[in-house]
């Protein structure tokens, strides 16, 4: 056995090392081959944007080659048009920079001595001046050294000699002009070729991806890929349209304010808004600097700042949630990490592509089982289910986060549902660890104490099933894998409504079946019964010991709490001891979250009633507490939980 465990451990270590090596090789390949991978990434994203347009043309009975070529030509013509506008705006801005530098100098002189920010403004003016000189200086303008003449009595200084190249030939001039444009044109050509082939052969590429992802379940894989492609297309098209509208509003607003090269800053704002969180902020820097430079006063600067501070919140917090929800599906830390990662690999183009590329990975991770780790790492869905979060917080001895999650849950659902769907399932995970021997007695006692503390903190919460506010996050509501049926609210009994034997101070005695975790579950039941007007108290397993004297008077119901329902012999033994100590009390067996077949144990274990959930246990107690008028035959019938049927 030890040898088998050792081999399994060694195998996991080898697999872990192999995964790390494979990831390192993959990252290195992406970095070294960025000249190839960048065009491919751009082509894939463009294909998601252009595919709906191609399908529209195909529905108009145009052949696919004509549709693809037409859409691609239109797209790249738009890109070149935008590039030409940027070049024209940059040229115009370069010619106006000296004039803006003079305005900035005047503003600095007006502020000198009145504010500490003059140094910053002066440095900004120096930057504008240096940039203007660099843009305006002719290429053949070479600084010359003054002619030095010898003076009697002084040592003659050496005359500097400058070696000048002959004027370039016509062929060299053409080569110097083409060289800076060669790399962008090559990348653009590769992107266009890749886009054309991806759109022409999208079904073939889809089939190959299905084969790689797993062809054993074609229906599931095909549905997943179609859903992923549709979602990504809608998302990218929506982002493109929204960011373009944002850039147009910013450009128009800057033009009305009087900022030079307003079209340039509008285009820059549209592009940089693809960069999450900081893109809009970066796009506002240059217009703000120009606003301070072109206007001797401060009105233009204030209007420019107001434009960005009003448009970005409206787009980001009002329009975006209406169009495609509150989030792109990425966690905030994943957005920052992806931006850092792709920027370090591919530079500025990686910063723009970071979010779309990571969204593609997350969508694939949600639909392809082998890539599920990508969704766990970068997605915005909770990595742990609510019961797992509950158990983890109990293990850590910190109920604060569990309390916060419980309060969010209780905004929509009653307290009993939280206990059944989250808390009991979390304790069930702990019970499984106890059965495996991975949870010692000390930590089990700690979980019990922290759970009781949480139950005490939730004492002021309502257990009503009245309709509550619906959640805004459907995925968070679906994280609890249960189906809750609508049921009438349980009554709150008054003292006079109780049967005579139930009018004692604490008529229900909750006893832990096997250990501390069962006691924690019993504490939840006792609290729910108190909220319904039935007094209850909780005792540990030792309460059934013959040496432990627990008064038999005033006990109308004994509830045995079990999370581990694997041992029917132990249950039978505990029921027998309870009968002996409280012969006049009814016995309720709480087999929390057991399967429906456990209902057959009622007859063999000779319990009066059985419940699989806390809510059903409360129903049984309420029915027994109001059963003063029941016939003798009804008193002998066991009350079985409805969920066990």
């Amino acid at each position: 056995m030890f040898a088998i465990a050792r081999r399994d451990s060694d195998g996991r270590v080898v697999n872990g090392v192999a995964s790390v090596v494979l990831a390192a090789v993959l990252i290195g390949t992406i970095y070294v081959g960025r000249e190839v991978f960048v065009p491919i990434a751009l082509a894939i994203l463009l294909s998601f944007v252009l595919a709906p347009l191609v399908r529209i043309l195909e529905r108009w009975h145009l052949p696919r080659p004509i549709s693809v070529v037409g859409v691609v030509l239109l797209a790249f013509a738009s890109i070149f048009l935008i590039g030409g506008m940027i070049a024209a705006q940059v040229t115009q801005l370069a010619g106006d920079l000296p004039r803006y530098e003079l305005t900035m100098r005047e503003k600095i002189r007006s502020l000198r001595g009145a504010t500490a920010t003059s140094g910053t403004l002066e440095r900004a003016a120096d930057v504008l001046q240096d940039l203007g000189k660099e843009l305006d200086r002719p290429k053949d303008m070479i600084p010359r050294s003054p002619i030095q003449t010898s003076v009697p009595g002084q040592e003659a200084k050496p005359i500097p000699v400058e070696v000048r190249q002959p004027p370039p030939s016509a062929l060299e001039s053409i080569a110097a002009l083409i060289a800076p444009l060669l790399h962008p044109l090559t990348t653009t050509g590769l992107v266009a070729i890749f886009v054309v082939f991806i759109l022409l052969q999208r079904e073939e590429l889809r089939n190959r991806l299905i084969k790689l992802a797993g062809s054993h379940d074609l229906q599931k894989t095909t549905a997943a890929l179609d859903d992923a492609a549709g979602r990504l297309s809608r998302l990218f098209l929506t982002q493109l349209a929204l960011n373009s509208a944002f850039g147009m509003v910013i450009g128009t607003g800057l033009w009305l304010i009087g900022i030079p090269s307003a079209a340039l800053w509008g285009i820059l704002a549209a592009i940089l808004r693809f960069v999450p969180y900081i893109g809009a902020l970066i796009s506002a820097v240059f217009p703000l600097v120009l606003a301070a430079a072109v206007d001797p006063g401060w009105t233009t600067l204030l209007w420019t700042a107001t434009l960005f501070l009003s448009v970005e919140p409206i787009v980001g917090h009002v329009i975006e949630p209406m169009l495609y929800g509150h989030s792109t599906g990425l966690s905030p830390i994943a957005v920052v990490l992806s931006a850092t990662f792709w920027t370090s690999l591919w530079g500025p183009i990686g910063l723009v592509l970071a979010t779309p590329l990571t969204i593609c990975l997350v969508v694939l991770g949600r639909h392809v089982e082998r890539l599920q780790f990508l969704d766990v790492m970068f997605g915005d869905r909770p990595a742990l289910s609510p019961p797992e979060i509950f158990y983890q917080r109990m293990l850590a001895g910190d109920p604060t986060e569990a309390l916060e999650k419980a309060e969010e849950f209780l905004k929509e659902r009653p307290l009993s549902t939280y206990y059944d769907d989250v808390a009991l399932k979390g304790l069930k995970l702990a019970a499984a660890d106890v059965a495996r021997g991975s949870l010692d007695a000390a930590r089990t006692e700690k979980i019990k104490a922290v759970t009781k503390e949480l139950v005490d903190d939730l004492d002021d919460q309502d257990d009503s099933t009245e309709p509550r506010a619906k959640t805004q996050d459907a995925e968070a509501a679906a994280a609890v894998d249960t189906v809750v049926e609508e049921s009438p609210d349980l009554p709150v009994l008054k003292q006079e409504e109780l049967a005579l034997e139930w009018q004692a101070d604490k008529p229900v005695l909750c006893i832990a079946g096997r250990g501390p975790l069962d006691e924690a579950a019993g504490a939840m039941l006792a609290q729910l019964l108190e909220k319904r007007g039935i007094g209850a108290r909780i005792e540990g397993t030792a309460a059934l010991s013959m040496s432990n004297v627990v008064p038999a008077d005033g006990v109308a119901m004994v509830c045995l709490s079990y999370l581990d329902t694997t041992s029917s012999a132990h249950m039978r033994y505990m029921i027998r001891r309870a009968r002996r100590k409280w012969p006049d009390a009814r016995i309720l067996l709480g087999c929390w979250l057991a399967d429906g077949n456990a209902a057959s144990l009622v007859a063999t274990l000779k319990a009066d009633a059985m419940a699989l959930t806390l809510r059903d246990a409360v129903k049984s107690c309420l029915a027994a507490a109001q059963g003063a008028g029941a016939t003798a035959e009804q008193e002998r019938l066991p009350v079985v939980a409805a969920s066990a049927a």
Side-chain angles (χ1 to χ4, degrees):
M1 184 68 69
F2 177 76
I4 295 175
R6 180 64 180 270
R7 285 197 300 269
D8 292 341
S9 177
D10 293 342
R12 287 193 294 268
V13 171
V14 171
N15 291 335
V17 173
S19 300
V20 172
V21 172
L22 180 61
V25 171
L26 183 61
I27 293 174
T29 303
I30 293 175
Y31 176 74
V32 174
R34 58 187 178 275
E35 299 295 334
V36 176
F37 290 120
V38 168
I40 293 177
L42 288 171
I44 292 174
L45 296 179
L46 274 177
S47 66
F48 279 119
V49 175
L50 301 180
L53 302 179
V54 173
R55 285 194 289 267
I56 291 175
L57 294 180
E58 287 180 341
R59 284 198 293 267
W60 292 350
H61 304 291
L62 286 177
R64 174 173 294 186
I66 297 178
S67 302
V68 170
V69 173
V71 169
V72 171
L73 287 177
L74 178 62
F76 280 89
S78 303
I79 293 174
F80 282 116
L81 178 62
I82 294 174
M85 292 177 59
I86 292 176
Q89 292 290 315
V90 169
T91 302
Q92 179 183 353
L93 181 64
D96 295 337
L97 281 179
R99 177 162 53 88
Y100 305 149
E101 182 265 336
L102 294 176
T103 304
M104 184 70 78
R105 295 288 183 187
E106 292 292 334
K107 187 171 292 187
I108 293 171
R109 281 194 289 269
S110 66
L111 291 176
R112 189 179 299 277
T115 177
T117 60
S118 60
T120 303
L121 293 175
E122 190 169 357
R123 284 193 296 271
D126 292 337
V127 171
L128 289 174
Q129 185 179 21
D130 295 339
L131 182 59
K133 290 180 179 179
E134 290 294 329
L135 292 172
D136 293 337
R137 186 175 64 183
K139 294 182 179 180
D140 59 350
M141 184 177 180
I142 307 297
R144 301 176 182 273
S145 302
I147 299 177
Q148 298 181 356
T149 57
S150 60
V151 180
Q154 293 184 356
E155 183 179 356
K157 297 181 179 180
I159 300 175
V161 179
E162 181 181 355
V163 179
R164 302 187 62 182
Q165 297 291 336
S169 62
L171 186 60
E172 292 174 342
S173 300
I174 294 175
L177 178 64
I178 294 177
L181 302 176
L182 188 60
H183 182 269
L185 290 176
T186 302
T187 302
T188 304
L190 288 175
V191 171
I193 293 173
F194 281 130
V195 169
V196 169
F197 279 101
I198 289 174
L199 293 176
L200 284 175
Q201 301 183 353
R202 59 177 183 265
E203 287 84 3
E204 178 67 21
L205 294 175
R206 180 202 62 198
N207 295 339
R208 295 182 182 277
L209 186 58
I210 289 174
K211 185 65 176 179
L212 291 175
S215 57
H216 59 279
D217 191 349
L218 288 176
Q219 185 275 333
K220 181 179 179 181
T221 307
T222 302
L225 290 179
D226 289 343
D227 178 59
R231 288 188 180 186
L232 289 173
S233 294
R234 289 193 299 271
L235 176 62
F236 294 154
L237 280 173
T238 304
Q239 282 190 326
L240 179 62
L242 186 61
N243 293 348
S244 300
F246 176 80
M248 292 178 62
V249 172
I250 292 295
T252 303
L254 294 177
W255 176 72
L256 293 175
I257 293 172
I259 302 298
S261 304
L264 173 63
W265 310 126
I267 296 172
L268 185 65
I271 296 174
L272 287 178
R273 205 176 179 281
F274 284 98
V275 180
Y277 300 125
I278 62 173
L281 179 63
I282 296 175
S283 67
V285 172
F286 294 103
L288 289 174
V289 172
L290 275 180
V294 299
D295 184 11
W298 300 100
T299 304
T300 304
L301 179 63
L302 292 176
W303 276 111
T304 304
T306 302
L307 175 65
F308 279 94
L309 292 177
S310 59
V311 174
E312 170 57 25
I314 293 175
V315 173
H317 299 287
V318 178
I319 299 178
E320 276 187 349
M322 292 173 57
L323 292 179
Y324 50 82
H326 290 272
S327 140
T328 58
L330 304 180
S331 64
I333 186 64
V335 172
V336 176
L337 288 177
S338 64
T340 305
F341 174 78
W342 291 109
T343 303
S344 63
L345 289 181
W346 291 351
I349 190 66
L351 180 62
V352 176
L353 294 178
T355 299
L357 287 175
T358 310
I359 290 174
C360 291
L361 296 178
V362 169
V363 171
L364 289 176
R366 290 184 179 180
H367 293 282
V368 180
E369 184 177 357
R370 296 180 182 178
L371 302 177
Q372 188 176 7
F373 70 95
L374 295 172
D375 183 27
V376 176
M377 292 175 59
F378 303 117
D380 61 349
R381 297 193 295 186
L384 298 177
S385 66
E388 289 172 336
I389 294 175
F390 176 90
Y391 177 35
Q392 195 275 333
R393 287 294 86 198
M394 298 302 104
L395 276 174
D398 180 14
T400 304
E401 183 179 352
L403 180 61
E404 293 176 357
K405 297 292 184 180
E407 290 174 346
E408 293 177 5
F409 187 98
L410 294 172
K411 292 178 181 178
E412 311 160 11
R413 316 276 282 280
L415 182 61
S416 57
T417 304
Y418 171 76
Y419 284 155
D420 285 329
D421 292 352
V422 179
L424 281 185
K425 288 187 176 182
L427 292 179
K428 194 81 169 180
L429 296 174
D433 286 345
V434 171
R436 288 195 301 267
S438 58
L439 196 62
D440 56 26
R443 301 187 73 181
T444 305
E445 287 288 344
K446 180 181 179 181
I447 292 174
K448 181 194 75 172
V450 178
T451 303
K452 282 189 171 183
E453 180 182 346
L454 176 65
V455 171
D456 185 64
D457 291 335
L458 294 175
D459 190 58
D460 59 344
Q461 295 292 332
D462 188 17
D463 190 37
S464 174
T465 58
E466 293 295 326
R468 306 185 181 205
K470 298 299 182 182
T471 180
Q472 297 293 331
D473 190 354
E475 291 186 356
V480 179
D481 188 18
T482 56
V483 178
V484 178
E485 298 180 356
E486 293 294 333
S487 59
D489 201 1
L490 299 179
V492 178
L493 301 181
K494 299 178 181 180
Q495 185 72 13
E496 58 271 14
E497 295 176 340
L498 298 174
L500 183 61
E501 64 272 18
W502 286 79
Q503 293 183 4
D505 184 34
K506 302 289 185 181
V508 177
L509 177 61
C510 300
I511 301 178
R514 298 185 68 93
L517 299 178
D518 298 324
E519 186 177 342
M524 300 176 194
L525 176 59
Q527 184 186 76
L528 294 176
L529 289 173
E530 293 279 356
K531 291 181 176 294
R532 297 299 169 184
I534 300 176
R537 65 185 187 273
I538 178 69
E539 295 287 346
T541 308
L544 289 175
S545 173
M546 298 307 297
S547 60
N548 188 0
V549 180
V550 178
D553 296 337
V555 177
M557 175 79 78
V558 176
C559 177
L560 298 178
S561 174
Y562 276 93
L563 285 163
D564 184 1
T565 60
T566 57
S567 176
S568 60
H570 189 276
M571 297 180 189
R572 187 178 298 109
Y573 171 77
M574 296 292 281
I575 292 173
R576 187 182 304 118
R577 298 296 296 269
R579 290 280 189 204
R580 191 175 305 171
K581 296 197 69 171
W582 298 281
D584 297 329
R586 294 170 61 89
I587 306 298
L588 172 65
L589 180 61
C591 296
W592 312 128
L593 305 180
D595 55 31
N597 295 329
S600 61
L601 294 175
V602 176
T604 61
L605 296 177
K606 298 181 180 180
D608 296 305
M610 182 179 181
L612 306 185
T613 65
L614 295 176
R615 185 171 181 83
D616 289 333
V618 173
K619 289 180 181 178
S620 296
C621 291
L622 290 173
Q626 294 175 303
T631 64
E633 182 181 0
Q634 289 173 332
E635 283 291 332
R636 289 194 298 269
L637 289 175
V639 181
V640 181
S643 59

Coordinates of all heavy atoms in Angstrom, one line a residue, residues 328-363:
T328 N -17.0 41.2 -18.5 CA -16.7 40.5 -19.7 C -16.5 39.0 -19.4 O -16.1 38.2 -20.3 CB -15.3 41.1 -20.3 OG1 -14.3 41.0 -19.2 CG2 -15.5 42.5 -20.7
G329 N -16.6 38.6 -18.1 CA -16.4 37.2 -17.8 C -15.0 37.0 -17.2 O -14.7 35.8 -16.9
L330 N -14.2 38.0 -17.0 CA -12.9 37.9 -16.4 C -12.9 38.5 -15.0 O -13.6 39.5 -14.7 CB -11.9 38.6 -17.3 CG -11.8 38.2 -18.7 CD1 -10.7 39.1 -19.4 CD2 -11.5 36.8 -18.9
S331 N -12.1 37.9 -14.1 CA -11.9 38.5 -12.8 C -11.0 39.7 -12.9 O -10.2 39.8 -13.8 CB -11.3 37.5 -11.9 OG -10.0 37.1 -12.3
P332 N -11.1 40.7 -12.0 CA -10.3 41.9 -12.1 C -8.8 41.6 -12.1 O -8.0 42.2 -12.8 CB -10.7 42.8 -10.9 CG -12.1 42.3 -10.7 CD -12.2 40.9 -11.0
I333 N -8.4 40.7 -11.2 CA -7.0 40.3 -11.1 C -6.5 39.6 -12.4 O -5.4 39.8 -12.9 CB -6.7 39.4 -9.9 CG1 -5.2 39.2 -9.7 CG2 -7.5 38.1 -10.0 CD1 -4.4 40.4 -9.4
A334 N -7.4 38.9 -13.1 CA -7.1 38.2 -14.3 C -6.8 39.3 -15.4 O -6.0 39.1 -16.3 CB -8.2 37.2 -14.7
V335 N -7.6 40.3 -15.4 CA -7.5 41.4 -16.4 C -6.1 42.0 -16.3 O -5.4 42.3 -17.2 CB -8.6 42.4 -16.3 CG1 -8.3 43.6 -17.2 CG2 -9.9 41.8 -16.6
V336 N -5.7 42.3 -15.0 CA -4.4 43.0 -14.8 C -3.3 42.0 -15.1 O -2.3 42.4 -15.8 CB -4.3 43.4 -13.3 CG1 -2.9 44.0 -13.0 CG2 -5.4 44.5 -13.0
L337 N -3.4 40.8 -14.7 CA -2.3 39.8 -15.0 C -2.2 39.6 -16.5 O -1.1 39.5 -17.1 CB -2.6 38.5 -14.3 CG -2.4 38.5 -12.8 CD1 -2.8 37.1 -12.2 CD2 -1.0 38.8 -12.4
S338 N -3.3 39.5 -17.2 CA -3.3 39.2 -18.7 C -2.7 40.4 -19.4 O -1.9 40.2 -20.3 CB -4.7 38.9 -19.2 OG -5.5 40.0 -19.0
A339 N -3.0 41.6 -18.9 CA -2.4 42.8 -19.6 C -0.9 42.8 -19.4 O -0.2 43.1 -20.3 CB -3.1 44.1 -19.0
T340 N -0.5 42.5 -18.2 CA 1.0 42.5 -17.9 C 1.7 41.4 -18.7 O 2.7 41.6 -19.3 CB 1.2 42.2 -16.4 OG1 0.5 43.2 -15.6 CG2 2.7 42.3 -16.1
F341 N 1.0 40.2 -18.8 CA 1.6 39.1 -19.5 C 1.8 39.4 -21.0 O 2.9 39.2 -21.5 CB 0.8 37.8 -19.2 CG 1.2 36.6 -20.0 CD1 2.3 35.9 -19.6 CD2 0.5 36.2 -21.1 CE1 2.7 34.8 -20.3 CE2 0.9 35.1 -21.8 CZ 2.0 34.4 -21.4
W342 N 0.7 39.7 -21.6 CA 0.7 39.9 -23.1 C 1.5 41.2 -23.4 O 2.1 41.2 -24.5 CB -0.7 40.0 -23.6 CG -1.5 38.7 -23.5 CD1 -2.5 38.5 -22.7 CD2 -1.2 37.6 -24.3 NE1 -2.9 37.2 -22.9 CE2 -2.2 36.6 -23.9 CE3 -0.3 37.2 -25.3 CZ2 -2.2 35.3 -24.4 CZ3 -0.3 35.9 -25.8 CH2 -1.3 35.0 -25.4
T343 N 1.6 42.2 -22.6 CA 2.4 43.4 -22.9 C 3.9 43.0 -22.8 O 4.7 43.5 -23.7 CB 2.1 44.5 -21.9 OG1 0.7 44.8 -22.0 CG2 2.9 45.7 -22.3
S344 N 4.3 42.2 -21.9 CA 5.7 41.8 -21.8 C 6.1 40.9 -22.9 O 7.2 40.9 -23.3 CB 5.9 41.1 -20.5 OG 5.1 39.9 -20.4
L345 N 5.1 40.2 -23.5 CA 5.4 39.3 -24.7 C 5.4 40.0 -26.0 O 6.3 39.9 -26.8 CB 4.5 38.1 -24.7 CG 4.6 37.1 -23.6 CD1 3.6 35.9 -23.8 CD2 6.0 36.5 -23.6
W346 N 4.4 40.8 -26.2 CA 4.1 41.4 -27.5 C 4.1 42.9 -27.5 O 3.8 43.5 -28.6 CB 2.8 40.9 -28.1 CG 2.8 39.4 -28.4 CD1 3.9 38.6 -28.4 CD2 1.7 38.6 -28.8 NE1 3.5 37.3 -28.8 CE2 2.1 37.3 -29.0 CE3 0.3 38.9 -28.9 CZ2 1.3 36.3 -29.4 CZ3 -0.5 37.8 -29.3 CH2 0.0 36.6 -29.5
G347 N 4.4 43.6 -26.5 CA 4.5 45.0 -26.5 C 3.2 45.7 -26.5 O 2.2 45.1 -26.0
P348 N 3.1 46.9 -27.0 CA 1.8 47.6 -27.0 C 0.6 46.9 -27.7 O -0.5 47.0 -27.2 CB 2.1 48.9 -27.8 CG 3.6 49.1 -27.6 CD 4.2 47.7 -27.6
I349 N 0.9 46.1 -28.8 CA -0.2 45.4 -29.4 C -0.7 44.3 -28.5 O -1.9 44.0 -28.5 CB 0.3 44.8 -30.7 CG1 -0.8 44.2 -31.5 CG2 1.4 43.7 -30.5 CD1 -1.8 45.2 -32.0
G350 N 0.2 43.8 -27.6 CA -0.2 42.8 -26.6 C -1.1 43.4 -25.6 O -2.1 42.8 -25.1
L351 N -0.9 44.7 -25.2 CA -1.8 45.4 -24.2 C -3.2 45.5 -24.8 O -4.2 45.3 -24.1 CB -1.2 46.7 -23.9 CG -1.9 47.6 -22.9 CD1 -2.0 46.9 -21.5 CD2 -1.3 49.0 -22.8
V352 N -3.3 45.8 -26.1 CA -4.6 46.0 -26.7 C -5.3 44.7 -26.8 O -6.5 44.5 -26.6 CB -4.5 46.7 -28.0 CG1 -5.9 46.8 -28.7 CG2 -3.9 48.1 -27.8
L353 N -4.5 43.6 -27.1 CA -5.1 42.3 -27.4 C -5.3 41.5 -26.1 O -5.9 40.4 -26.2 CB -4.3 41.5 -28.3 CG -4.1 42.0 -29.8 CD1 -3.2 41.2 -30.6 CD2 -5.5 42.1 -30.4
A354 N -4.8 42.0 -25.0 CA -4.8 41.2 -23.7 C -6.2 40.7 -23.3 O -6.5 39.5 -23.1 CB -4.2 41.9 -22.6
T355 N -7.1 41.6 -23.2 CA -8.5 41.2 -22.8 C -9.2 40.3 -23.8 O -9.8 39.3 -23.4 CB -9.3 42.5 -22.5 OG1 -8.7 43.2 -21.5 CG2 -10.7 42.1 -22.1
P356 N -9.2 40.7 -25.1 CA -9.9 39.7 -26.0 C -9.3 38.3 -26.1 O -10.0 37.3 -26.1 CB -9.7 40.4 -27.4 CG -9.5 41.9 -27.1 CD -8.8 41.9 -25.8
L357 N -7.9 38.2 -26.0 CA -7.3 36.9 -26.0 C -7.7 36.1 -24.8 O -7.9 34.9 -24.8 CB -5.8 37.1 -26.1 CG -5.2 37.5 -27.4 CD1 -3.7 37.8 -27.4 CD2 -5.5 36.5 -28.5
T358 N -7.7 36.8 -23.6 CA -8.0 36.1 -22.4 C -9.5 35.7 -22.3 O -9.8 34.6 -21.8 CB -7.7 37.0 -21.2 OG1 -6.3 37.5 -21.3 CG2 -7.7 36.2 -19.9
I359 N -10.3 36.5 -22.9 CA -11.8 36.1 -23.0 C -11.9 34.9 -23.8 O -12.7 33.9 -23.5 CB -12.6 37.3 -23.6 CG1 -12.7 38.4 -22.6 CG2 -14.0 36.8 -23.9 CD1 -13.3 39.7 -23.2
C360 N -11.2 34.8 -24.9 CA -11.2 33.6 -25.8 C -10.8 32.3 -25.0 O -11.4 31.3 -25.0 CB -10.3 33.7 -27.0 SG -10.8 34.9 -28.2
L361 N -9.7 32.5 -24.2 CA -9.3 31.3 -23.4 C -10.3 30.9 -22.3 O -10.5 29.7 -22.1 CB -7.9 31.7 -22.7 CG -6.8 32.0 -23.7 CD1 -5.5 32.4 -22.9 CD2 -6.5 30.7 -24.5
V362 N -10.9 31.9 -21.7 CA -11.9 31.6 -20.6 C -13.2 31.0 -21.2 O -13.7 30.0 -20.7 CB -12.3 32.9 -19.9 CG1 -13.5 32.7 -19.0 CG2 -11.1 33.4 -19.0
V363 N -13.6 31.4 -22.4 CA -14.8 30.8 -23.0 C -14.5 29.4 -23.4 O -15.3 28.5 -23.2 CB -15.2 31.6 -24.2 CG1 -16.3 30.9 -25.0 CG2 -15.8 33.0 -23.8

